[in-house]
Amino acid sequence: MIASASTTPVHAMPPAPVPWSASVLTLFPQMFPGPLGQSLAGRALDAGTWRLDTQDIRAAATDRHRTVDDTPFGGGPGMVMRADIVHAAIAAAYDLPAEAEPPATPARPLLFLSPRGRALTQARVRALAQGPGVVLLCGRYEGIDQRVIDLWRAEEVSVGDYVLSGGEPAALVLLDACVRLLPGVMGAEGSAIEESFSAGLLEYPHFTRPAEWRGRAVPEVLLSGNHARIAAWRRAEAERITREQRPDLWAAHAAATARA
Ligand code: ADE
């Protein structure tokens, strides 16, 4: 209430929490927030639970034509984004001058979205969501001059073993996965889903009314009202689906269960 707030001396008030912040460096800032402006992430963005800013890498270009790329040394197809331009864009995201040295340990990690990166996992997503935010570097063309990736010790992250036309859709995927874990974004129901993935198993199947549809009945156990039987059925289904669809996850789950 306003009355009680006004009785608290300003110096005694806790500092306002800084929301989880994402900065995206891209040649296509119009791609953001894109789907993240809708649904859970969009509402959380409007509510100030997280912040998103996009930096147009082209704004760091210095010539009349706003050039950001050049042909690769050694020949070959495509164009490579220039180290000096990308460096200036990254420095700006960290509020540093264009020629600055990278900070030893930046508060927000710099992630470079690339099919060459380590595969993004739920464990990495959880760690990123618990931190202050991320700075995401999206590449286009054939790639980015390796020297700027090395200088900033950027963490290369892939969202799957396929090649996208650029890092932007991958950045949207990474942000979606992080934002849904921020406190207050999902209800209790979402946290339960998160726990089920944490256990290393895929989700069991879901059903709702009507109980019969096109001659297909809902599994009888789900109508039984017997919570122990329902839990056992769901567990068995989660195990079966994980075994059938993702033998790799199933092997990891089995190994973890054996250790416990
Ligand atoms: N850029 C192009 N393909 C990608 C992928 N699979 N993951 C991350 N960034 C990418």
Side-chain angles (χ1 to χ4, degrees):
M1 266 172 62
I2 293 168
S4 63
S6 65
T7 58
T8 309
V10 170
H11 64 268
M13 296 208 299
V18 179
W20 195 86
S21 303
S23 299
V24 181
L25 311 180
T26 170
L27 289 171
F28 300 95
Q30 326 82 279
M31 288 195 190
F32 296 86
L36 299 177
Q38 307 289 318
S39 188
L40 282 181
R43 278 200 295 277
L45 190 57
D46 290 343
T49 308
W50 68 293
R51 262 199 311 233
L52 173 67
D53 63 85
T54 49
Q55 303 243 3
D56 187 349
I57 294 173
R58 202 170 293 282
T62 50
D63 67 328
R64 210 157 52 82
H65 301 292
R66 301 238 151 251
T67 311
V68 295
D69 57 351
D70 210 329
T71 52
F73 279 125
M79 301 291 273
V80 177
M81 288 168 72
R82 289 171 53 123
D84 53 346
I85 308 296
V86 174
H87 177 81
I90 300 172
Y94 286 106
D95 285 325
L96 295 168
E99 287 307 319
E101 285 301 309
T105 46
R108 292 183 300 159
L110 174 66
L111 274 53
F112 169 40
L113 285 311
S114 154
R116 199 175 68 178
R118 289 225 179 99
L120 185 63
T121 61
Q122 188 65 18
R124 187 69 189 114
V125 165
R126 212 176 293 128
L128 292 171
Q130 281 164 7
V134 288
V135 177
L136 302 181
L137 174 59
C138 301
R140 286 262 150 182
Y141 312 115
E142 290 309 297
I144 297 182
D145 189 306
Q146 186 63 35
R147 291 168 294 180
V148 71
I149 306 297
D150 293 345
L151 177 68
W152 284 85
R153 291 191 295 274
E155 175 184 340
E156 288 192 49
V157 176
S158 165
V159 297
D161 289 340
Y162 42 78
V163 181
L164 302 165
S165 54
E168 289 80 4
L172 291 168
V173 166
L174 184 146
L175 290 175
D176 181 280
C178 289
V179 167
R180 63 187 284 283
L181 298 186
L182 299 178
V185 173
M186 282 189 309
E189 127 212 13
S191 330
I193 291 172
E194 158 68 0
E195 276 159 27
S196 103
F197 204 103
S198 313
L201 292 176
L202 300 177
E203 272 268 281
Y204 53 79
H206 302 276
F207 300 89
T208 187
R209 277 180 280 275
E212 191 179 320
W213 176 73
R214 292 186 159 221
R216 292 160 185 256
V218 164
E220 170 278 327
V221 59
L222 299 179
L223 310 176
S224 70
N226 181 329
H227 296 298
R229 269 187 70 212
I230 292 171
W233 180 86
R234 286 180 168 165
R235 175 78 189 191
E237 282 293 282
E239 291 181 358
R240 177 186 64 77
I241 289 166
T242 308
R243 217 168 35 236
E244 287 176 9
Q245 310 264 54
R246 293 290 303 274
D248 56 327
L249 287 184
W250 178 248
H253 170 77
T257 314
R259 274 199 305 274

